[in-house]
Amino acid sequence: MRISEYRSPIVAGLVATVTGTLASTGIVLTGLSAVGASPSQATSAICIMLLAYGVLSIGLSWRYKMPISIVWSTPGAALLASASALGLKFETAVGAFFVCGLLLSLTAFWPQLGRLVSSIPPAIASAMLAGVILSFCTAPFSAISSHPAIALPVIASWLIMYRIKPLWAAPIAITVSAILMQLMLPVDFSQTPLLPTLTVIAPHFELSAIVSLGIPLYIVTMASQNVPGIAIMRNFGYEVPFKAAMASTGIATVLGSFFGGQAMNLAAITAAINADEHADKDPKKRWVAAVTAGIAYVFVALAASVTVAFILQTPRELLLAGAGLALVGTITNALQTASSDPHHRIAAVITFLISASGISEFGIGAAFWALVGGLISSYVVNFKKSD
């Protein structure tokens, strides 16, 4: 194998790494902090997830000779951020991550579970996701009042890049944000260790956390990552080995939870970067892009301490602003899907409103109640009266 023959997929893989990491790390850290992770625990979690999906991307792509990209669940991280009102200890959240991993693993060997998730009307599942990430997506515009010199150029750079190259819009905007913040609000790295340290966390299982966090995290991961990821790959002519992908990501999630890691899954956006013709004209060579991305993720994992130190010293409103721009595409697709089916439109609106409300009852968060409210509303609205 000559490197020169694979220059294009190697570049595509590096682009995927930049896109995936820059556009989502802030969201993941925000989510972990919201469910009680300390800075050291958050660093451990980010490091182990980057290592895990780097290794999985390399292994699966090499084994099946197709660009199988594994990443963390960015919508899942946004779900964690919305669960801050629950006041969970991180050990309890880790128990929910563990259960999510078990459900992902079980999906590999019991396809009926995946079909059960798929039976939830897409409009309702998408409306729940849109409600969860709404506060993120409004953050860039809220930040204009407090930090206009940073927020306005970031939003402008995002709009310009979205016009030129949509896939690069979020990474470029976040890079501009990081540069401006370092110039105006410099971060002190003097106390930051060069290499991250993994911290073992014993999971604590509570039914309320499993119901309000573990199950919704599984549903969001399946509905917004795995199912679209499979569809995107199929669109490029690749049939993802479902059992191998679900089993490996599920087991990795279970093992990663002991170090604070949340759900891991098939990529959607980065899958498109690695699998389309820009990676290589020859579909048989594109697997190199995902392998390259995996290798890069392993190296990025070694810089987890620096990344976390930067994010923790960033004003929260600016951090959320960067995350919000990265999620604009996600909420756009979610809202489009939520409103596309006239039979479920009212139910989807109710689902969205409940999810966005942040309601918490009996220790169970808004994402779960949004699904319950949406399904009940759908049944009531669409129930056919007997003659």
Side-chain angles (χ1 to χ4, degrees):
M1 171 177 164
R2 295 193 312 182
I3 299 296
S4 59
E5 295 179 4
Y6 293 91
R7 184 179 294 110
S8 183
I10 289 173
V11 171
L14 294 175
V15 169
T17 304
V18 172
T19 301
T21 305
L22 287 181
S24 61
T25 304
I27 305 172
V28 173
L29 182 57
T30 301
L32 292 169
S33 300
V35 292
S38 67
S40 62
Q41 290 171 331
T43 301
S44 172
I46 287 175
C47 179
I48 197 67
M49 285 189 285
L50 286 167
L51 285 172
Y53 68 69
V55 170
L56 289 178
S57 295
I58 295 168
L60 289 170
S61 299
W62 192 293
R63 167 66 179 80
Y64 295 98
K65 294 297 185 288
M66 63 177 71
I68 302 174
S69 303
I70 305 299
V71 296
W72 50 38
S73 176
T74 303
L79 173 67
L80 301 187
S82 71
S84 58
L86 299 177
L88 299 176
K89 293 182 178 179
F90 192 50
E91 292 79 5
T92 304
V94 165
F97 301 163
F98 182 97
V99 171
C100 176
L102 286 181
L103 291 173
L104 289 170
S105 302
L106 188 58
T107 304
F109 303 102
W110 188 32
Q112 289 86 344
L113 184 58
R115 286 194 284 270
L116 178 63
V117 174
S118 299
S119 69
I120 298 173
I124 291 176
S126 295
M128 179 198 72
L129 175 60
V132 164
I133 65 177
L134 177 64
S135 62
F136 280 93
C137 296
T138 58
F141 309 99
S142 300
I144 292 174
S145 61
S146 57
H147 298 279
I150 296 177
L152 286 173
V154 170
I155 293 172
S157 66
W158 181 86
L159 280 172
I160 293 169
M161 282 307 303
Y162 196 86
R163 173 69 177 84
I164 300 170
K165 194 76 173 178
L167 284 175
W168 276 94
I172 291 297
I174 292 174
T175 301
V176 170
S177 176
I179 293 171
L180 290 176
M181 283 188 289
Q182 189 61 22
L183 290 174
M184 300 180 190
L185 306 166
V187 173
D188 180 14
F189 293 107
S190 61
Q191 302 300 316
T192 303
L194 182 61
L195 295 175
T197 301
L198 295 180
T199 303
V200 178
I201 302 158
H204 180 69
F205 301 98
E206 288 185 9
L207 182 60
S208 61
I210 292 171
V211 172
S212 62
L213 197 59
I215 294 175
L217 181 58
Y218 167 72
I219 292 173
V220 165
T221 299
M222 288 296 298
S224 66
Q225 292 280 168
N226 285 331
V227 173
I230 290 171
I232 287 171
M233 289 290 285
R234 189 172 290 149
N235 185 55
F236 289 112
Y238 299 103
E239 197 62 42
V240 173
F242 180 81
K243 183 178 290 187
M246 291 301 101
S248 59
T249 55
I251 293 170
T253 299
V254 169
L255 296 177
S257 69
F258 289 98
F259 301 94
Q262 55 123 338
M264 291 172 231
N265 44 247
L266 290 167
I269 295 174
T270 49
I273 296 174
N274 290 333
D276 79 356
E277 63 179 12
H278 292 99
D280 200 282
K281 295 294 184 183
D282 184 358
K284 294 181 180 179
K285 292 182 178 179
R286 295 174 193 167
W287 64 273
V288 175
V291 169
T292 302
I295 294 171
Y297 282 132
V298 171
F299 282 100
V300 172
L302 301 178
S305 296
V306 175
T307 302
V308 171
F310 176 82
I311 293 173
L312 288 177
Q313 294 182 58
T314 299
R316 178 175 172 78
E317 58 270 29
L318 292 177
L319 179 61
L320 292 179
L325 290 173
L327 289 169
V328 168
T330 301
I331 198 170
T332 300
N333 293 332
L335 290 173
Q336 182 178 5
T337 302
S339 60
S340 63
D341 187 345
H343 296 293
H344 296 291
R345 193 165 292 154
I346 293 297
V349 170
I350 291 173
T351 303
F352 171 76
L353 294 174
I354 296 173
S355 181
S357 73
I359 187 175
S360 175
E361 295 293 336
F362 308 110
I364 298 174
F368 175 80
W369 295 121
L371 283 176
V372 172
L375 292 172
I376 292 174
S377 301
S378 177
Y379 178 79
V380 172
V381 170
N382 295 300
F383 181 74
K384 295 181 179 179
K385 295 180 179 179
S386 58
D387 295 333

